[in-house]
Amino acid sequence: MMVWGVSLIYFILGWIFFTRTFRFYALVSSLLLAIALHNVLQSRLLVILYIAILAGVFFALLLLKRSPDKKGTLYFSLPCWLLIATVLINVFF
């Protein structure tokens, strides 16, 4: 249940602060985040690390002087990288 809540908050914050329009890639990105978080639920440290990375990137993007669309693209590509990291962690550890 926590996984879907974090993904929903991620989607809503990205929509409010970056895109302000519905984008299909934003929805898919939120689903990828839910998958990544679901795969690391066995380790609380990884969950906390992933959420800290999400928060850090969110605040860093708020401070950047770029257009909201470019920020949105960067913001919504982060779950793809987290999912790749999750797969690598599960394969090698």
Side-chain angles (χ1 to χ4, degrees):
M1 197 63 162
M2 177 202 70
V3 168
W4 294 106
V6 170
S7 296
L8 181 64
I9 290 170
Y10 176 82
F11 177 75
I12 291 171
L13 287 176
W15 184 76
I16 290 172
F17 287 101
F18 301 123
T19 59
R20 301 248 177 166
T21 57
F22 178 77
R23 307 279 180 163
F24 184 69
Y25 70 86
L27 181 64
V28 171
S29 176
S30 298
L31 293 174
L32 289 176
L33 177 62
I35 293 168
L37 287 173
H38 179 71
N39 287 338
V40 295
L41 273 179
Q42 70 273 9
S43 172
R44 286 189 181 206
L45 179 64
L46 281 176
V47 172
I48 291 170
L49 179 66
Y50 278 23
I51 293 174
I53 289 171
L54 290 172
V57 169
F58 175 75
F59 289 118
L61 286 174
L62 284 178
L63 299 175
L64 280 178
K65 304 286 187 213
R66 300 252 184 211
S67 70
D69 284 335
K70 289 183 181 180
K71 288 181 185 180
T73 303
L74 290 172
Y75 181 72
F76 286 115
S77 69
L78 182 63
C80 298
W81 292 108
L82 290 178
L83 185 60
I84 291 169
T86 302
V87 170
L88 291 175
I89 288 169
N90 285 336
V91 167
F92 292 111
F93 295 107

